[in-house]
Amino acid sequence: VHWYADPFVPAQVLTDTHDFLPDYFLLYTEACTGFGPEDENDVELGSWERGELYAINIMQGLLHWVTGWVDWNMVLDPQGGPNWARQSADAPIIVDPTTDEFYKQPMFYM
């Protein structure tokens, strides 16, 4: 199940899919925030709003037969990179290689 389809597909579709194919497991993939034109900042240090978005999505999935949940990039730099797609996004852990520091975002705890 691809995270980016959530605005277009209600969670009930997950239960409908499980009911139709009960021997298959549902896995949420490529979840992330801080990408696209609607997000002003790729990385927002300390954003509890983004953490809440993760928590809601994880709980909603679990309530509709999702058995696992995978982040797009667990660790990124302060600019939201790098990743193979060459796009920036936020991540649960932000590493600043210039200061040798890392930040656990609220998303990390979700």
Side-chain angles (χ1 to χ4, degrees):
V1 179
H2 208 280
W3 154 277
Y4 307 111
D6 281 1
F8 313 108
V9 181
Q12 180 60 37
V13 170
L14 298 169
T15 293
D16 295 344
T17 302
H18 167 77
D19 292 346
F20 184 66
L21 300 165
D23 294 332
Y24 286 77
F25 71 92
L26 301 174
L27 178 66
Y28 242 91
T29 64
E30 296 189 36
C32 76
T33 62
F35 67 94
E38 70 278 358
D39 285 313
E40 221 174 271
N41 302 314
D42 298 329
V43 174
E44 284 187 15
L45 291 178
S47 174
W48 282 98
E49 182 179 340
R50 290 182 176 178
E52 289 173 6
L53 180 63
Y54 266 43
I56 290 167
N57 187 263
I58 292 167
M59 289 186 292
Q60 189 173 43
L62 292 173
L63 291 171
H64 291 276
W65 297 98
V66 169
T67 59
W69 196 89
V70 180
D71 194 281
W72 166 243
N73 286 287
M74 193 66 178
V75 179
L76 293 173
D77 67 20
Q79 289 72 47
N83 65 56
W84 70 269
R86 294 189 173 97
Q87 65 187 38
S88 57
D90 211 339
I93 299 173
I94 301 297
V95 173
D96 188 339
T98 62
T99 62
D100 202 26
E101 295 178 327
F102 71 95
Y103 307 93
K104 290 182 182 176
Q105 296 276 62
M107 292 178 285
F108 174 85
Y109 298 99
M110 301 308 149

